[in-house]
Amino acid sequence: MDTIGFIGTGVMGRSMAGHLLEGGYKLNVYNRTRSRADSLVEKGAVWLDSPGAVAANSDIIITIVGFPIDVEAVYLGADGILANAKSGSVVVDMTTSSPKLAARIYENAAEKRIGSLDAPVSGGDIGAREARLSIMVGGDEDVFERVRPLFELMGKNIGLLGPAGSGQHTKMSNQIAIANGMMGICEAMAYAEKAGLDPMGVIACIENGAAGSWSLSNLAPRFLKGDFAPGFYVKHFIKDMGIALDSAKKMNLDLPGLTLANKLYQVLAAKGGEDFGTQALYKLYKEEINGAG
Amino acid sequence: MDTIGFIGTGVMGRSMAGHLLEGGYKLNVYNRTRSRADSLVEKGAVWLDSPGAVAANSDIIITIVGFPIDVEAVYLGADGILANAKSGSVVVDMTTSSPKLAARIYENAAEKRIGSLDAPVSGGDIGAREARLSIMVGGDEDVFERVRPLFELMGKNIGLLGPAGSGQHTKMSNQIAIANGMMGICEAMAYAEKAGLDPMGVIACIENGAAGSWSLSNLAPRFLKGDFAPGFYVKHFIKDMGIALDSAKKMNLDLPGLTLANKLYQVLAAKGGEDFGTQALYKLYKEEINGAG
């Protein structure tokens, strides 16, 4: 049975790594802030002191860290994964990161006969906890099949979408749909409130029709109650939109809706909203509802 | 049993009126183009020569016509409904129209002791045919209860959302969510195609997660196949967005996402797309995919 290395034991990673332990795998773990790996160590994971040490002692190395710059450091740095991983091992980056960087890691890995997948997820902390994540994978099919049993311990909708970078591109498609959709439910509910309707009554009336969406049914009720607690942080969403816009620009594709949504989220962040959940976009519209009108 | 008047037997109205006939109601009908009422007359409806004649001979008068200007003519014109309807009768406008006009009709009707509801629908031609429409109602509760049995023959999600105009406002909320969401699915799929992914594979991977929506599951597959046939016409959607933007402006509410979506649909219409279905917004992005990039 493969020994798994797991780097990045934040809210998401901790749940995901926990499912692998429960699935019977031996686990080596590393995290920048050590204390966040404590609960996994108590359950039998082995703490190692660097990404390089995890890589050297594992067969499949999974990472889920913060930003593309962290991915770059962890994979390509001096004591990083690729400098230390064994030939024949596999690396799997589950961070939402840049498609270009995913392709670069794949190429560097291939030179050392290391398999590489990009496999970002959606579903948030709850999806991670309940092993219901969507996992969007880019890379080679044989490598995907080798890692699939691990993915199946962590998620439900698991797809190989194409070559290296395709997982990240798919996640970008996902975020583009969400960003525009979030603007839509905020505007729909702001209109409803301003018009004096009961917004929850409006949701009940429209959510099963053509206006229906996961966000309308799950996030609109939260922001209407003034609940802006993060399921998914504004600051991370801004990171993702930045990657998508950058990637679209490189492909000469204009995305006016995403550009606008990103601009609105930047305003929200500038007003101190970056640690709220994404549904806090409603705050911008709420100010208007209570404003001059 | 109330005798029903039905004015406006286009694609939607014809199906809706048919359900009332099947429900055992006596039906008087009028339509600007007479031939479109023929199938109803064959099933037992009585043709009358004007909106006024229908109003004078019916207890509950239902209208579903084209634009607010048509609603105004049919209700407030010289041989219109309100000049001819009996005291104690009820009028129900199911056209998607302006909330202000709905309030005006309500007031004029009240002076003549005529009940009035605004009750626009969503669900399109299929929803009308299968009696699965969402019906969003504004007006008085006793009048709503009197008409409810008719609504239940035509739809599934039926809600009284508030006083006169509230049905129209709710429909506007619905269209605002749809307009932004449509932009979102077009941008997500344009990105996926441009990145070389299989867009149908992307839909399968993301539609059950946070990016999921009715439009993604039902309309994106259509535009990806190049199917732009109208479930709901671009020209009618532009009408609705115009009403929503006008209404929002009067309430001093800025809706940047809807403003952008409306602008894109105007471009599509200017290029000859107004008789396509709303999913044809993808054509604008598709041009870009095939363009300089």
Side-chain angles (χ1 to χ4, degrees):
Chain A
M1 204 173 197
D2 286 319
T3 295
I4 313 301
F6 206 103
I7 295 167
T9 55
V11 177
M12 301 282 293
R14 201 156 51 230
S15 293
M16 294 157 71
H19 296 309
L20 300 180
L21 273 178
E22 285 156 24
Y25 286 96
K26 279 203 258 182
L27 212 67
N28 298 315
V29 295
Y30 171 79
N31 191 57
R32 206 156 48 184
T33 306
R34 180 168 177 167
S35 61
R36 290 194 183 156
D38 285 351
S39 64
L40 289 167
V41 172
E42 280 162 25
K43 288 178 199 155
V46 176
W47 171 265
L48 292 172
D49 275 323
S50 71
V54 168
N57 292 285
S58 306
D59 304 306
I60 297 177
I61 301 108
I62 296 174
T63 53
I64 181 162
V65 296
F67 289 78
I69 196 170
D70 304 312
V71 172
E72 198 171 350
V74 161
Y75 276 92
L76 305 171
D79 191 28
I81 294 169
L82 293 187
N84 292 281
K86 300 176 282 190
S87 172
S89 64
V90 168
V91 298
V92 185
D93 184 27
M94 303 187 80
T95 317
T96 295
S97 174
S98 124
K100 286 251 170 193
L101 179 55
R104 207 172 124 212
I105 290 169
Y106 174 89
E107 282 156 27
N108 280 307
E111 284 172 17
K112 302 183 174 184
R113 310 187 59 149
I114 297 167
S116 175
L117 301 174
D118 51 299
V121 300
S122 83
D125 50 349
I126 299 171
R129 206 158 52 229
E130 298 177 354
R132 287 192 295 102
L133 293 171
S134 292
I135 306 178
M136 311 159 214
V137 189
D140 298 333
E141 191 155 358
D142 57 332
V143 178
F144 174 71
E145 290 304 334
R146 179 166 168 199
V147 181
R148 190 201 280 271
L150 305 186
F151 289 147
E152 286 173 350
L153 289 171
M154 299 185 280
K156 281 254 149 61
N157 293 291
I158 299 154
L160 178 66
L161 282 305
S166 298
Q168 298 298 350
H169 277 311
T170 302
K171 180 68 189 279
M172 291 303 118
S173 290
N174 187 75
Q175 302 303 71
I176 292 166
I178 289 174
N180 282 280
M182 189 69 72
M183 206 158 58
I185 65 167
C186 287
E187 297 197 354
M189 292 299 108
Y191 182 99
E193 282 211 74
K194 191 85 174 184
L197 306 173
D198 164 26
M200 289 301 294
V202 172
I203 293 174
C205 195
I206 71 176
E207 70 181 338
N208 295 310
S213 69
W214 187 92
S215 295
L216 180 65
S217 295
N218 291 280
L219 295 182
R222 286 195 209 169
F223 67 59
L224 289 170
K225 279 183 293 191
D227 172 5
F228 302 117
F232 187 61
Y233 283 108
V234 165
K235 61 187 173 191
H236 292 154
F237 198 42
I238 287 176
K239 172 196 81 165
D240 294 358
M241 287 188 285
I243 295 170
L245 285 168
D246 185 53
S247 177
K249 194 177 170 188
K250 283 180 183 137
M251 302 191 292
N252 281 315
L253 180 68
D254 189 25
L255 300 175
L258 179 64
T259 303
L260 175 60
N262 181 57
K263 206 176 93 184
L264 295 176
Y265 271 104
Q266 297 281 0
V267 172
L268 177 62
K271 291 186 176 193
E274 64 174 20
D275 286 322
F276 287 122
T278 53
Q279 75 276 19
L281 184 63
Y282 195 61
K283 281 174 159 289
L284 294 189
Y285 291 95
K286 188 80 186 171
E287 281 172 19
E288 268 207 62
I289 298 171
N290 299 327
Chain B
M1 203 173 197
D2 286 321
T3 295
I4 313 302
F6 207 104
I7 295 167
T9 55
V11 177
M12 300 283 294
R14 201 156 50 230
S15 293
M16 294 156 71
H19 296 309
L20 300 181
L21 273 178
E22 286 156 23
Y25 286 95
K26 280 203 259 182
L27 211 67
N28 298 315
V29 296
Y30 171 80
N31 191 56
R32 205 156 48 184
T33 306
R34 179 167 176 167
S35 61
R36 289 195 185 156
D38 285 351
S39 65
L40 290 167
V41 172
E42 281 162 25
K43 288 179 199 154
V46 175
W47 171 266
L48 293 172
D49 274 325
S50 71
V54 168
N57 291 286
S58 307
D59 304 306
I60 297 177
I61 301 109
I62 296 174
T63 54
I64 181 161
V65 297
F67 289 78
I69 195 169
D70 304 312
V71 173
E72 198 170 351
V74 161
Y75 276 92
L76 305 172
D79 190 29
I81 295 170
L82 293 188
N84 292 281
K86 300 175 283 189
S87 172
S89 65
V90 168
V91 298
V92 185
D93 184 28
M94 304 187 78
T95 318
T96 295
S97 173
S98 124
K100 287 250 171 194
L101 179 55
R104 207 173 124 212
I105 290 170
Y106 174 89
E107 282 156 27
N108 280 307
E111 284 171 16
K112 303 182 174 186
R113 310 185 57 149
I114 297 167
S116 175
L117 301 174
D118 51 297
V121 301
S122 83
D125 50 350
I126 299 171
R129 206 157 54 229
E130 299 178 354
R132 286 193 294 102
L133 294 170
S134 293
I135 306 178
M136 311 159 213
V137 189
D140 298 333
E141 193 155 358
D142 57 333
V143 178
F144 174 71
E145 291 304 333
R146 180 167 165 198
V147 180
R148 190 203 281 271
L150 306 187
F151 290 147
E152 286 172 351
L153 288 171
M154 300 185 279
K156 280 255 149 61
N157 294 291
I158 300 154
L160 177 67
L161 282 305
S166 299
Q168 298 298 351
H169 277 311
T170 301
K171 181 67 188 280
M172 291 303 118
S173 289
N174 187 74
Q175 302 304 70
I176 293 166
I178 288 174
N180 282 281
M182 189 68 73
M183 207 159 56
I185 66 166
C186 286
E187 296 197 354
M189 292 300 107
Y191 182 99
E193 281 211 73
K194 191 85 174 184
L197 306 174
D198 164 26
M200 289 300 294
V202 171
I203 293 174
C205 194
I206 72 176
E207 69 181 339
N208 295 310
S213 68
W214 187 93
S215 296
L216 180 66
S217 296
N218 291 280
L219 295 181
R222 287 197 210 168
F223 69 58
L224 289 169
K225 279 183 291 192
D227 172 5
F228 302 118
F232 186 61
Y233 282 108
V234 166
K235 61 187 173 192
H236 292 153
F237 198 42
I238 287 176
K239 172 197 80 164
D240 294 359
M241 288 188 285
I243 296 170
L245 285 168
D246 185 53
S247 177
K249 194 176 170 188
K250 282 180 183 137
M251 302 190 293
N252 281 314
L253 180 67
D254 189 26
L255 300 175
L258 179 64
T259 302
L260 175 60
N262 180 57
K263 206 176 91 185
L264 295 176
Y265 272 104
Q266 297 282 359
V267 172
L268 177 62
K271 292 188 175 192
E274 63 174 20
D275 286 322
F276 288 123
T278 52
Q279 76 275 19
L281 184 64
Y282 195 60
K283 281 175 158 288
L284 294 188
Y285 291 96
K286 188 80 186 171
E287 282 172 20
E288 269 207 62
I289 297 171
N290 298 328

